[in-house]
PDB file of all heavy atoms in Angstrom:
ATOM      1  N   PRO E 318     -10.897 -25.319  -9.264  1.00  0.00           N
ATOM      2  CA  PRO E 318     -12.146 -25.188  -8.466  1.00  0.00           C
ATOM      3  C   PRO E 318     -12.440 -26.419  -7.582  1.00  0.00           C
ATOM      4  O   PRO E 318     -13.423 -26.348  -6.858  1.00  0.00           O
ATOM      5  CB  PRO E 318     -13.194 -24.981  -9.579  1.00  0.00           C
ATOM      6  CG  PRO E 318     -12.570 -25.512 -10.790  1.00  0.00           C
ATOM      7  CD  PRO E 318     -11.203 -25.437 -10.650  1.00  0.00           C
ATOM      8  N   PHE E 319     -11.797 -27.434  -7.765  1.00  0.00           N
ATOM      9  CA  PHE E 319     -12.123 -28.689  -6.974  1.00  0.00           C
ATOM     10  C   PHE E 319     -11.403 -28.820  -5.625  1.00  0.00           C
ATOM     11  O   PHE E 319     -11.670 -29.743  -4.926  1.00  0.00           O
ATOM     12  CB  PHE E 319     -11.894 -29.963  -7.858  1.00  0.00           C
ATOM     13  CG  PHE E 319     -12.727 -29.933  -9.048  1.00  0.00           C
ATOM     14  CD1 PHE E 319     -12.232 -29.698 -10.438  1.00  0.00           C
ATOM     15  CD2 PHE E 319     -14.063 -30.206  -8.959  1.00  0.00           C
ATOM     16  CE1 PHE E 319     -13.070 -29.687 -11.489  1.00  0.00           C
ATOM     17  CE2 PHE E 319     -14.943 -30.247 -10.118  1.00  0.00           C
ATOM     18  CZ  PHE E 319     -14.327 -29.862 -11.367  1.00  0.00           C
ATOM     19  N   ASP E 484     -18.343 -17.494 -14.441  1.00  0.00           N
ATOM     20  CA  ASP E 484     -19.022 -18.766 -14.679  1.00  0.00           C
ATOM     21  C   ASP E 484     -19.774 -19.292 -13.621  1.00  0.00           C
ATOM     22  O   ASP E 484     -20.805 -19.907 -13.734  1.00  0.00           O
ATOM     23  CB  ASP E 484     -17.865 -19.770 -15.055  1.00  0.00           C
ATOM     24  CG  ASP E 484     -17.448 -19.694 -16.450  1.00  0.00           C
ATOM     25  OD1 ASP E 484     -17.761 -18.735 -17.119  1.00  0.00           O
ATOM     26  OD2 ASP E 484     -16.706 -20.613 -16.972  1.00  0.00           O
ATOM     27  N   GLY E 485     -19.452 -19.044 -12.371  1.00  0.00           N
ATOM     28  CA  GLY E 485     -20.040 -19.553 -11.187  1.00  0.00           C
ATOM     29  C   GLY E 485     -21.458 -19.001 -11.086  1.00  0.00           C
ATOM     30  O   GLY E 485     -22.396 -19.725 -10.939  1.00  0.00           O
ATOM     31  N   SER E 487     -23.199 -17.494 -13.672  1.00  0.00           N
ATOM     32  CA  SER E 487     -23.831 -17.946 -14.923  1.00  0.00           C
ATOM     33  C   SER E 487     -24.368 -19.341 -14.627  1.00  0.00           C
ATOM     34  O   SER E 487     -25.533 -19.728 -14.953  1.00  0.00           O
ATOM     35  CB  SER E 487     -22.914 -17.930 -16.031  1.00  0.00           C
ATOM     36  OG  SER E 487     -22.569 -16.508 -16.389  1.00  0.00           O
ATOM     37  N   GLY E 488     -23.494 -20.214 -14.103  1.00  0.00           N
ATOM     38  CA  GLY E 488     -23.879 -21.670 -13.898  1.00  0.00           C
ATOM     39  C   GLY E 488     -25.100 -21.748 -12.968  1.00  0.00           C
ATOM     40  O   GLY E 488     -25.947 -22.509 -13.256  1.00  0.00           O
ATOM     41  N   CYS E 489     -25.052 -21.102 -11.837  1.00  0.00           N
ATOM     42  CA  CYS E 489     -26.155 -21.159 -10.966  1.00  0.00           C
ATOM     43  C   CYS E 489     -27.409 -20.673 -11.610  1.00  0.00           C
ATOM     44  O   CYS E 489     -28.471 -21.237 -11.363  1.00  0.00           O
ATOM     45  CB  CYS E 489     -25.822 -20.338  -9.697  1.00  0.00           C
ATOM     46  SG  CYS E 489     -24.694 -20.995  -8.666  1.00  0.00           S
ATOM     47  N   VAL E 491     -28.179 -20.657 -14.840  1.00  0.00           N
ATOM     48  CA  VAL E 491     -28.711 -21.683 -15.753  1.00  0.00           C
ATOM     49  C   VAL E 491     -29.239 -22.786 -15.077  1.00  0.00           C
ATOM     50  O   VAL E 491     -30.339 -23.300 -15.383  1.00  0.00           O
ATOM     51  CB  VAL E 491     -27.446 -22.153 -16.643  1.00  0.00           C
ATOM     52  CG1 VAL E 491     -27.915 -23.294 -17.600  1.00  0.00           C
ATOM     53  CG2 VAL E 491     -27.057 -20.983 -17.594  1.00  0.00           C
ATOM     54  N   LEU E 492     -28.576 -23.163 -13.972  1.00  0.00           N
ATOM     55  CA  LEU E 492     -29.167 -24.441 -13.158  1.00  0.00           C
ATOM     56  C   LEU E 492     -30.593 -24.141 -12.636  1.00  0.00           C
ATOM     57  O   LEU E 492     -31.380 -24.957 -12.598  1.00  0.00           O
ATOM     58  CB  LEU E 492     -28.209 -24.639 -11.994  1.00  0.00           C
ATOM     59  CG  LEU E 492     -28.565 -25.935 -11.144  1.00  0.00           C
ATOM     60  CD1 LEU E 492     -28.624 -27.206 -11.864  1.00  0.00           C
ATOM     61  CD2 LEU E 492     -27.661 -25.964 -10.011  1.00  0.00           C
ATOM     62  N   THR E 497     -35.021 -25.141 -16.921  1.00  0.00           N
ATOM     63  CA  THR E 497     -33.906 -26.130 -16.888  1.00  0.00           C
ATOM     64  C   THR E 497     -34.594 -27.436 -16.308  1.00  0.00           C
ATOM     65  O   THR E 497     -35.081 -27.426 -15.234  1.00  0.00           O
ATOM     66  CB  THR E 497     -32.751 -25.751 -16.114  1.00  0.00           C
ATOM     67  OG1 THR E 497     -32.265 -24.496 -16.562  1.00  0.00           O
ATOM     68  CG2 THR E 497     -31.774 -26.733 -15.921  1.00  0.00           C
ATOM     69  N   LEU E 499     -33.736 -31.570 -15.802  1.00  0.00           N
ATOM     70  CA  LEU E 499     -32.651 -32.522 -15.747  1.00  0.00           C
ATOM     71  C   LEU E 499     -33.111 -34.024 -15.755  1.00  0.00           C
ATOM     72  O   LEU E 499     -34.302 -34.294 -15.109  1.00  0.00           O
ATOM     73  CB  LEU E 499     -31.690 -32.320 -14.607  1.00  0.00           C
ATOM     74  CG  LEU E 499     -31.051 -30.940 -14.527  1.00  0.00           C
ATOM     75  CD1 LEU E 499     -30.434 -30.726 -13.113  1.00  0.00           C
ATOM     76  CD2 LEU E 499     -29.923 -30.854 -15.492  1.00  0.00           C
ATOM     77  N   GLU E 502     -30.672 -39.465 -14.577  1.00  0.00           N
ATOM     78  CA  GLU E 502     -29.096 -39.732 -14.553  1.00  0.00           C
ATOM     79  C   GLU E 502     -28.359 -38.559 -14.171  1.00  0.00           C
ATOM     80  O   GLU E 502     -27.366 -38.673 -13.309  1.00  0.00           O
ATOM     81  CB  GLU E 502     -28.650 -40.327 -15.901  1.00  0.00           C
ATOM     82  CG  GLU E 502     -29.124 -41.695 -16.197  1.00  0.00           C
ATOM     83  CD  GLU E 502     -30.606 -41.763 -16.603  1.00  0.00           C
ATOM     84  OE1 GLU E 502     -31.114 -40.765 -17.177  1.00  0.00           O
ATOM     85  OE2 GLU E 502     -31.143 -42.734 -16.387  1.00  0.00           O
ATOM     86  N   GLU E 503     -28.687 -37.442 -14.800  1.00  0.00           N
ATOM     87  CA  GLU E 503     -27.909 -36.235 -14.440  1.00  0.00           C
ATOM     88  C   GLU E 503     -28.048 -35.825 -13.179  1.00  0.00           C
ATOM     89  O   GLU E 503     -27.025 -35.578 -12.421  1.00  0.00           O
ATOM     90  CB  GLU E 503     -28.406 -35.120 -15.465  1.00  0.00           C
ATOM     91  CG  GLU E 503     -27.929 -35.120 -16.855  1.00  0.00           C
ATOM     92  CD  GLU E 503     -28.608 -34.080 -17.702  1.00  0.00           C
ATOM     93  OE1 GLU E 503     -29.905 -33.920 -17.699  1.00  0.00           O
ATOM     94  OE2 GLU E 503     -27.937 -33.426 -18.440  1.00  0.00           O
ATOM     95  N   THR E 504     -29.377 -35.910 -12.643  1.00  0.00           N
ATOM     96  CA  THR E 504     -29.606 -35.443 -11.266  1.00  0.00           C
ATOM     97  C   THR E 504     -28.812 -36.309 -10.228  1.00  0.00           C
ATOM     98  O   THR E 504     -28.185 -35.844  -9.281  1.00  0.00           O
ATOM     99  CB  THR E 504     -31.126 -35.698 -11.037  1.00  0.00           C
ATOM    100  OG1 THR E 504     -31.730 -35.022 -12.092  1.00  0.00           O
ATOM    101  CG2 THR E 504     -31.580 -34.841  -9.664  1.00  0.00           C
ATOM    102  N   MET E 505     -28.837 -37.568 -10.539  1.00  0.00           N
ATOM    103  CA  MET E 505     -28.130 -38.522  -9.679  1.00  0.00           C
ATOM    104  C   MET E 505     -26.657 -38.145  -9.591  1.00  0.00           C
ATOM    105  O   MET E 505     -25.974 -38.111  -8.606  1.00  0.00           O
ATOM    106  CB  MET E 505     -28.257 -40.002 -10.037  1.00  0.00           C
ATOM    107  CG  MET E 505     -29.707 -40.489  -9.615  1.00  0.00           C
ATOM    108  SD  MET E 505     -30.064 -42.037 -10.355  1.00  0.00           S
ATOM    109  CE  MET E 505     -29.117 -43.096  -9.297  1.00  0.00           C
ATOM    110  N   GLN E 506     -26.042 -37.859 -10.752  1.00  0.00           N
ATOM    111  CA  GLN E 506     -24.715 -37.482 -10.896  1.00  0.00           C
ATOM    112  C   GLN E 506     -24.275 -36.264  -9.956  1.00  0.00           C
ATOM    113  O   GLN E 506     -23.470 -36.353  -9.170  1.00  0.00           O
ATOM    114  CB  GLN E 506     -24.309 -37.221 -12.341  1.00  0.00           C
ATOM    115  CG  GLN E 506     -22.894 -36.719 -12.645  1.00  0.00           C
ATOM    116  CD  GLN E 506     -21.883 -37.734 -12.310  1.00  0.00           C
ATOM    117  OE1 GLN E 506     -22.090 -38.901 -12.460  1.00  0.00           O
ATOM    118  NE2 GLN E 506     -20.709 -37.290 -11.783  1.00  0.00           N
ATOM    119  N   TYR E 507     -25.243 -35.357 -10.170  1.00  0.00           N
ATOM    120  CA  TYR E 507     -24.902 -34.077  -9.386  1.00  0.00           C
ATOM    121  C   TYR E 507     -25.209 -34.322  -7.964  1.00  0.00           C
ATOM    122  O   TYR E 507     -24.306 -33.800  -7.081  1.00  0.00           O
ATOM    123  CB  TYR E 507     -25.904 -32.925  -9.838  1.00  0.00           C
ATOM    124  CG  TYR E 507     -25.619 -32.436 -11.254  1.00  0.00           C
ATOM    125  CD1 TYR E 507     -26.522 -32.157 -12.175  1.00  0.00           C
ATOM    126  CD2 TYR E 507     -24.325 -32.355 -11.719  1.00  0.00           C
ATOM    127  CE1 TYR E 507     -26.255 -31.783 -13.461  1.00  0.00           C
ATOM    128  CE2 TYR E 507     -23.969 -31.972 -12.880  1.00  0.00           C
ATOM    129  CZ  TYR E 507     -24.906 -31.609 -13.814  1.00  0.00           C
ATOM    130  OH  TYR E 507     -24.671 -31.252 -15.048  1.00  0.00           O
ATOM    131  N   TYR E 508     -26.127 -34.981  -7.557  1.00  0.00           N
ATOM    132  CA  TYR E 508     -26.418 -35.333  -6.121  1.00  0.00           C
ATOM    133  C   TYR E 508     -25.192 -36.051  -5.486  1.00  0.00           C
ATOM    134  O   TYR E 508     -24.631 -35.744  -4.471  1.00  0.00           O
ATOM    135  CB  TYR E 508     -27.577 -36.084  -5.833  1.00  0.00           C
ATOM    136  CG  TYR E 508     -28.875 -35.173  -5.752  1.00  0.00           C
ATOM    137  CD1 TYR E 508     -30.013 -35.577  -6.425  1.00  0.00           C
ATOM    138  CD2 TYR E 508     -28.852 -34.101  -4.969  1.00  0.00           C
ATOM    139  CE1 TYR E 508     -31.236 -34.777  -6.299  1.00  0.00           C
ATOM    140  CE2 TYR E 508     -30.040 -33.313  -4.924  1.00  0.00           C
ATOM    141  CZ  TYR E 508     -31.163 -33.614  -5.537  1.00  0.00           C
ATOM    142  OH  TYR E 508     -32.242 -32.773  -5.423  1.00  0.00           O
ATOM    143  N   GLU E 510     -22.144 -35.948  -6.613  1.00  0.00           N
ATOM    144  CA  GLU E 510     -20.982 -34.932  -6.443  1.00  0.00           C
ATOM    145  C   GLU E 510     -21.167 -34.201  -5.159  1.00  0.00           C
ATOM    146  O   GLU E 510     -20.096 -33.888  -4.564  1.00  0.00           O
ATOM    147  CB  GLU E 510     -20.942 -33.976  -7.653  1.00  0.00           C
ATOM    148  CG  GLU E 510     -20.651 -34.584  -8.946  1.00  0.00           C
ATOM    149  CD  GLU E 510     -19.288 -34.535  -9.315  1.00  0.00           C
ATOM    150  OE1 GLU E 510     -18.461 -34.101  -8.491  1.00  0.00           O
ATOM    151  OE2 GLU E 510     -18.928 -34.914 -10.521  1.00  0.00           O
ATOM    152  N   VAL E 530     -31.979 -29.550  -7.634  1.00  0.00           N
ATOM    153  CA  VAL E 530     -30.655 -29.914  -7.424  1.00  0.00           C
ATOM    154  C   VAL E 530     -29.917 -28.758  -6.646  1.00  0.00           C
ATOM    155  O   VAL E 530     -29.077 -29.134  -5.747  1.00  0.00           O
ATOM    156  CB  VAL E 530     -29.925 -29.980  -8.856  1.00  0.00           C
ATOM    157  CG1 VAL E 530     -28.444 -30.160  -8.717  1.00  0.00           C
ATOM    158  CG2 VAL E 530     -30.496 -31.140  -9.729  1.00  0.00           C
ATOM    159  N   ASN E 614     -19.284 -27.509  -3.063  1.00  0.00           N
ATOM    160  CA  ASN E 614     -20.168 -28.214  -3.777  1.00  0.00           C
ATOM    161  C   ASN E 614     -20.716 -27.497  -5.056  1.00  0.00           C
ATOM    162  O   ASN E 614     -20.913 -28.136  -6.120  1.00  0.00           O
ATOM    163  CB  ASN E 614     -21.446 -28.665  -2.995  1.00  0.00           C
ATOM    164  CG  ASN E 614     -21.123 -29.668  -1.870  1.00  0.00           C
ATOM    165  OD1 ASN E 614     -20.115 -30.475  -2.007  1.00  0.00           O
ATOM    166  ND2 ASN E 614     -21.764 -29.616  -0.726  1.00  0.00           N
ATOM    167  N   ALA E 615     -20.884 -26.202  -4.986  1.00  0.00           N
ATOM    168  CA  ALA E 615     -21.385 -25.475  -6.158  1.00  0.00           C
ATOM    169  C   ALA E 615     -20.344 -25.547  -7.181  1.00  0.00           C
ATOM    170  O   ALA E 615     -20.629 -25.717  -8.389  1.00  0.00           O
ATOM    171  CB  ALA E 615     -21.526 -24.033  -5.687  1.00  0.00           C
ATOM    172  N   ASN E 616     -19.007 -25.427  -6.803  1.00  0.00           N
ATOM    173  CA  ASN E 616     -17.974 -25.492  -7.815  1.00  0.00           C
ATOM    174  C   ASN E 616     -18.002 -26.833  -8.617  1.00  0.00           C
ATOM    175  O   ASN E 616     -17.629 -26.908  -9.740  1.00  0.00           O
ATOM    176  CB  ASN E 616     -16.565 -25.417  -7.168  1.00  0.00           C
ATOM    177  CG  ASN E 616     -16.245 -23.884  -7.190  1.00  0.00           C
ATOM    178  OD1 ASN E 616     -16.453 -23.166  -8.084  1.00  0.00           O
ATOM    179  ND2 ASN E 616     -15.426 -23.604  -6.097  1.00  0.00           N
ATOM    180  N   ARG E 617     -18.380 -27.915  -7.882  1.00  0.00           N
ATOM    181  CA  ARG E 617     -18.383 -29.224  -8.528  1.00  0.00           C
ATOM    182  C   ARG E 617     -19.488 -29.299  -9.544  1.00  0.00           C
ATOM    183  O   ARG E 617     -19.164 -30.159 -10.435  1.00  0.00           O
ATOM    184  CB  ARG E 617     -18.598 -30.192  -7.377  1.00  0.00           C
ATOM    185  CG  ARG E 617     -17.444 -30.450  -6.618  1.00  0.00           C
ATOM    186  CD  ARG E 617     -17.529 -31.408  -5.565  1.00  0.00           C
ATOM    187  NE  ARG E 617     -16.249 -31.691  -5.012  1.00  0.00           N
ATOM    188  CZ  ARG E 617     -15.372 -32.583  -5.556  1.00  0.00           C
ATOM    189  NH1 ARG E 617     -15.853 -33.465  -6.315  1.00  0.00           N
ATOM    190  NH2 ARG E 617     -14.174 -32.635  -5.114  1.00  0.00           N
ATOM    191  N   ILE E 618     -20.649 -28.641  -9.342  1.00  0.00           N
ATOM    192  CA  ILE E 618     -21.797 -28.901 -10.350  1.00  0.00           C
ATOM    193  C   ILE E 618     -21.883 -27.876 -11.391  1.00  0.00           C
ATOM    194  O   ILE E 618     -22.154 -28.149 -12.478  1.00  0.00           O
ATOM    195  CB  ILE E 618     -23.065 -29.107  -9.697  1.00  0.00           C
ATOM    196  CG1 ILE E 618     -23.376 -28.035  -8.833  1.00  0.00           C
ATOM    197  CG2 ILE E 618     -23.040 -30.467  -8.876  1.00  0.00           C
ATOM    198  CD1 ILE E 618     -24.793 -28.120  -8.248  1.00  0.00           C
ATOM    199  N   VAL E 619     -21.448 -26.646 -10.950  1.00  0.00           N
ATOM    200  CA  VAL E 619     -21.707 -25.469 -11.871  1.00  0.00           C
ATOM    201  C   VAL E 619     -21.060 -25.521 -13.162  1.00  0.00           C
ATOM    202  O   VAL E 619     -21.653 -25.255 -14.164  1.00  0.00           O
ATOM    203  CB  VAL E 619     -21.399 -24.198 -11.070  1.00  0.00           C
ATOM    204  CG1 VAL E 619     -21.013 -23.068 -11.982  1.00  0.00           C
ATOM    205  CG2 VAL E 619     -22.512 -23.783 -10.196  1.00  0.00           C
ATOM    206  N   GLY E 620     -19.728 -25.878 -13.178  1.00  0.00           N
ATOM    207  CA  GLY E 620     -18.954 -25.859 -14.395  1.00  0.00           C
ATOM    208  C   GLY E 620     -19.599 -27.046 -15.264  1.00  0.00           C
ATOM    209  O   GLY E 620     -19.629 -26.758 -16.503  1.00  0.00           O
ATOM    210  N   ASP E 621     -19.951 -28.156 -14.709  1.00  0.00           N
ATOM    211  CA  ASP E 621     -20.588 -29.165 -15.457  1.00  0.00           C
ATOM    212  C   ASP E 621     -21.865 -28.832 -16.130  1.00  0.00           C
ATOM    213  O   ASP E 621     -22.205 -29.228 -17.314  1.00  0.00           O
ATOM    214  CB  ASP E 621     -20.694 -30.379 -14.423  1.00  0.00           C
ATOM    215  CG  ASP E 621     -20.894 -31.605 -15.243  1.00  0.00           C
ATOM    216  OD1 ASP E 621     -19.894 -32.131 -15.913  1.00  0.00           O
ATOM    217  OD2 ASP E 621     -21.934 -32.215 -15.294  1.00  0.00           O
ATOM    218  N   ILE E 622     -22.648 -28.100 -15.415  1.00  0.00           N
ATOM    219  CA  ILE E 622     -24.058 -27.667 -15.961  1.00  0.00           C
ATOM    220  C   ILE E 622     -23.704 -26.829 -17.326  1.00  0.00           C
ATOM    221  O   ILE E 622     -24.337 -27.084 -18.307  1.00  0.00           O
ATOM    222  CB  ILE E 622     -24.771 -26.782 -15.001  1.00  0.00           C
ATOM    223  CG1 ILE E 622     -25.363 -27.644 -13.885  1.00  0.00           C
ATOM    224  CG2 ILE E 622     -25.833 -25.974 -15.625  1.00  0.00           C
ATOM    225  CD1 ILE E 622     -26.635 -28.277 -14.310  1.00  0.00           C
ATOM    226  N   LEU E 623     -22.779 -25.829 -17.205  1.00  0.00           N
ATOM    227  CA  LEU E 623     -22.555 -24.954 -18.382  1.00  0.00           C
ATOM    228  C   LEU E 623     -22.010 -25.819 -19.492  1.00  0.00           C
ATOM    229  O   LEU E 623     -22.433 -25.662 -20.671  1.00  0.00           O
ATOM    230  CB  LEU E 623     -21.509 -23.922 -17.856  1.00  0.00           C
ATOM    231  CG  LEU E 623     -22.141 -22.806 -17.062  1.00  0.00           C
ATOM    232  CD1 LEU E 623     -21.066 -21.702 -16.956  1.00  0.00           C
ATOM    233  CD2 LEU E 623     -23.350 -22.117 -17.733  1.00  0.00           C
ATOM    234  N   THR E 624     -21.128 -26.789 -19.181  1.00  0.00           N
ATOM    235  CA  THR E 624     -20.562 -27.594 -20.205  1.00  0.00           C
ATOM    236  C   THR E 624     -21.709 -28.427 -20.896  1.00  0.00           C
ATOM    237  O   THR E 624     -21.761 -28.618 -22.144  1.00  0.00           O
ATOM    238  CB  THR E 624     -19.588 -28.569 -19.591  1.00  0.00           C
ATOM    239  OG1 THR E 624     -18.669 -27.938 -18.712  1.00  0.00           O
ATOM    240  CG2 THR E 624     -18.693 -29.042 -20.805  1.00  0.00           C
ATOM    241  N   LYS E 625     -22.590 -29.113 -20.121  1.00  0.00           N
ATOM    242  CA  LYS E 625     -23.633 -29.957 -20.655  1.00  0.00           C
ATOM    243  C   LYS E 625     -24.672 -29.121 -21.285  1.00  0.00           C
ATOM    244  O   LYS E 625     -25.181 -29.531 -22.506  1.00  0.00           O
ATOM    245  CB  LYS E 625     -24.225 -30.661 -19.415  1.00  0.00           C
ATOM    246  CG  LYS E 625     -23.379 -31.879 -18.926  1.00  0.00           C
ATOM    247  CD  LYS E 625     -24.212 -33.126 -18.654  1.00  0.00           C
ATOM    248  CE  LYS E 625     -23.398 -34.228 -18.308  1.00  0.00           C
ATOM    249  NZ  LYS E 625     -23.037 -34.316 -16.834  1.00  0.00           N
ATOM    250  N   LYS E 626     -25.129 -27.980 -20.768  1.00  0.00           N
ATOM    251  CA  LYS E 626     -26.195 -27.287 -21.383  1.00  0.00           C
ATOM    252  C   LYS E 626     -25.634 -26.522 -22.605  1.00  0.00           C
ATOM    253  O   LYS E 626     -26.321 -26.088 -23.473  1.00  0.00           O
ATOM    254  CB  LYS E 626     -26.784 -26.236 -20.413  1.00  0.00           C
ATOM    255  CG  LYS E 626     -27.504 -26.981 -19.348  1.00  0.00           C
ATOM    256  CD  LYS E 626     -29.056 -27.285 -19.794  1.00  0.00           C
ATOM    257  CE  LYS E 626     -29.686 -28.323 -18.900  1.00  0.00           C
ATOM    258  NZ  LYS E 626     -30.926 -28.764 -19.505  1.00  0.00           N
ATOM    259  N   GLY E 627     -24.338 -26.158 -22.465  1.00  0.00           N
ATOM    260  CA  GLY E 627     -23.631 -25.457 -23.593  1.00  0.00           C
ATOM    261  C   GLY E 627     -23.956 -23.965 -23.604  1.00  0.00           C
ATOM    262  O   GLY E 627     -25.040 -23.555 -24.206  1.00  0.00           O
ATOM    263  N   MET E 628     -23.195 -23.233 -22.889  1.00  0.00           N
ATOM    264  CA  MET E 628     -23.392 -21.702 -22.977  1.00  0.00           C
ATOM    265  C   MET E 628     -22.288 -21.093 -23.777  1.00  0.00           C
ATOM    266  O   MET E 628     -21.061 -21.397 -23.505  1.00  0.00           O
ATOM    267  CB  MET E 628     -23.336 -21.211 -21.504  1.00  0.00           C
ATOM    268  CG  MET E 628     -23.967 -19.708 -21.548  1.00  0.00           C
ATOM    269  SD  MET E 628     -23.872 -18.929 -19.959  1.00  0.00           S
ATOM    270  CE  MET E 628     -22.399 -17.972 -20.073  1.00  0.00           C
ATOM    271  N   LEU E 714     -28.748 -20.179 -24.483  1.00  0.00           N
ATOM    272  CA  LEU E 714     -27.906 -19.768 -23.340  1.00  0.00           C
ATOM    273  C   LEU E 714     -26.671 -18.991 -23.953  1.00  0.00           C
ATOM    274  O   LEU E 714     -25.729 -19.492 -24.620  1.00  0.00           O
ATOM    275  CB  LEU E 714     -27.280 -20.941 -22.627  1.00  0.00           C
ATOM    276  CG  LEU E 714     -28.362 -21.795 -22.058  1.00  0.00           C
ATOM    277  CD1 LEU E 714     -27.800 -23.086 -21.260  1.00  0.00           C
ATOM    278  CD2 LEU E 714     -29.290 -21.035 -21.075  1.00  0.00           C
TER     279      LEU E 714
END
Side-chain angles (χ1 to χ4, degrees):
Chain E
F319 296 105
D484 278 12
S487 297
C489 288
V491 170
L492 178 65
T497 304
L499 299 166
E502 287 74 26
E503 283 173 312
T504 313
M505 283 169 77
Q506 174 67 33
Y507 292 139
Y508 275 136
E510 294 267 4
V530 175
N614 290 333
N616 266 330
R617 286 179 169 269
I618 57 170
V619 154
D621 198 67
I622 284 278
L623 285 184
T624 322
K625 282 222 176 88
K626 291 273 163 193
M628 199 182 91
L714 303 179

